Amino acid sequence: MKLSDLKTSQQVIKERRKDPAFRAEWDRTAFARDVAIRIVKYREDNGLTQTALARMVGMTQSVIARLESGDQPPSIATLAKLSKGTGMDFDVKITHGAVEFVAA
């Protein structure tokens, strides 16, 4: 199989979202994934390890690793610690039980 024959991750996700169970889990973890992507990008942009970031924000490396996994949404207190230690902003909207980032 050639690389050009492979589906992109977006194509795979689009297909998998047709399955109601997958779609429910995908939607449930959307906010956590968004936070994870922002944390990984911040670390990469600043040349930090998980341990170095953890020290900056007063957490442990294992907490940063869990946040970066994107499996569970962070608490408001965790977002506040990240914001205070890094200067990152987290504008969130909570509507009808769903949590999402607000576009700036």
Side-chain angles (χ1 to χ4, degrees), residues 9-10 57 98:
S9 61
Q10 292 303 319
V57 298

Side-chain angles (χ1 to χ4, degrees), residues 26-42:
W26 184 258
D27 293 346
R28 183 191 72 77
T29 59
F31 178 69
R33 277 194 318 278
D34 288 344
V35 171
I37 290 166
R38 293 204 44 210
I39 293 170
V40 171
K41 183 172 178 359
Y42 181 88

Side-chain angles (χ1 to χ4, degrees), residues 41-70:
K41 183 172 178 359
Y42 181 88
R43 279 198 318 102
E44 183 179 283
D45 290 349
N46 291 280
L48 298 170
T49 63
Q50 288 180 341
T51 301
L53 177 59
R55 287 185 186 130
M56 280 179 60
V57 298
M59 297 178 184
T60 63
Q61 177 275 329
S62 62
V63 170
I64 299 299
R66 280 194 301 276
L67 289 168
E68 288 185 359
S69 76

Side-chain angles (χ1 to χ4, degrees), residues 3 10 16 25 27 34 40 56 58 61 66 74 82 86 90 92 94-96 99 104:
L3 185 60
Q10 292 303 319
R16 295 284 319 271
E25 182 65 7
D27 293 346
D34 288 344
V40 171
M56 280 179 60
Q61 177 275 329
R66 280 194 301 276
L82 285 167
T86 64
F90 296 97
V92 297
I94 303 170
T95 307
H96 305 290
V99 180

Side-chain angles (χ1 to χ4, degrees), residues 3-34:
L3 185 60
S4 61
D5 294 335
L6 296 175
K7 295 178 182 177
T8 67
S9 61
Q10 292 303 319
Q11 290 170 324
V12 172
I13 291 167
K14 184 178 180 180
E15 288 177 12
R16 295 284 319 271
R17 283 184 56 85
K18 294 174 185 173
D19 172 23
F22 178 86
R23 185 175 54 249
E25 182 65 7
W26 184 258
D27 293 346
R28 183 191 72 77
T29 59
F31 178 69
R33 277 194 318 278
D34 288 344

